[in-house]
Amino acid sequence: MTVHQPPQPQAGPSATERALNDPELTPQERANIELVLKFRALPFSERAKYTVPDFRPGRMGMANLAEVRTGDGPSYDARSIPDRQDEILDIIAHGDRVWATWLIRGTHRGELYGIAATGRSVEVLELGQWRIRDGLICEAWFFVDELALVRQLGLWPQPDGNPGGRPGHPDHDTEEH
């Protein structure tokens, strides 16, 4: 059985640099990518200045975890993965839409949709799509590889029988050695 491994970063210019330097982009498409990059660089609490009033994403990235969540604790906030770093693997624009794929990396240190902190490292793919209207984000959809996330948190067995951690790695992916 083949286990999916996240794509490895490419050497040379970053995905963002490649996208912004694409000679086929219109000035508006380039501006849309720049808007999305500004939006993504901000904490959730500061993103409203780049969205239409009453903006709500069409789908949040961890929608399935949200659906099965138990308890009244936080769903996902800055404490869930406080050292989160996103690496954009690809970003493209066409007309009023921008699409991106990125790796989320960090350590699960706070409650995440009812899952108590595990101290485990995570590295999962997420993708997003945004629609821009009059210089503001008016629609967005996000999808996270939730199965990879729960496997890395040790809550679902790996296809290779490994009880937790990333595929092919022993369960020493926690800080408790």
Side-chain angles (χ1 to χ4, degrees):
M1 175 185 289
T2 303
V3 176
H4 170 73
Q5 294 290 329
Q8 296 303 309
Q10 301 284 327
S14 72
T16 302
E17 292 168 327
R18 286 190 309 273
L20 290 172
N21 291 320
D22 181 348
E24 302 215 6
L25 283 181
T26 67
Q28 186 60 58
E29 290 167 338
R30 188 169 284 104
N32 290 346
I33 288 175
E34 290 170 346
L35 173 71
V36 166
L37 293 172
K38 288 177 192 173
F39 173 82
R40 288 188 33 77
L42 292 172
F44 291 116
S45 62
E46 298 176 30
R47 291 181 173 184
K49 62 184 165 187
Y50 293 107
T51 63
V52 296
D54 300 322
F55 168 77
R56 293 263 189 253
R59 182 191 191 278
M60 292 303 296
M62 299 179 195
N64 296 305
L65 287 177
E67 189 175 313
V68 298
R69 177 175 89 131
T70 59
D72 295 327
S75 52
Y76 178 89
D77 63 24
R79 297 168 297 197
S80 299
I81 305 174
D83 59 345
R84 177 178 169 164
Q85 296 290 311
D86 290 3
E87 177 188 353
I88 294 179
L89 302 174
D90 200 10
I91 186 166
I92 58 173
H94 183 72
D96 64 350
R97 296 189 190 266
V98 175
W99 296 265
T101 305
W102 58 94
L103 279 174
I104 297 171
R105 291 186 181 105
T107 311
H108 179 219
R109 299 221 180 268
E111 189 168 324
L112 176 71
Y113 293 102
I115 303 167
T118 63
R120 290 175 178 255
S121 296
V122 296
E123 182 178 276
V124 293
L125 283 170
E126 183 169 14
L127 63 94
Q129 177 183 346
W130 300 263
R131 191 167 68 82
I132 315 301
R133 183 179 65 224
D134 299 326
L136 296 173
I137 296 169
C138 62
E139 294 177 29
W141 303 267
F142 303 97
F143 299 88
V144 170
D145 185 348
E146 294 170 284
L147 181 55
L149 178 63
V150 296
R151 283 182 166 159
Q152 290 174 35
L153 296 178
L155 303 172
W156 192 274
Q158 297 289 347
D160 63 2
N162 181 6
R166 287 190 289 269
H169 288 60
D171 199 21
H172 70 290
D173 202 31
T174 67
E175 292 191 349
E176 305 161 11
H177 293 280

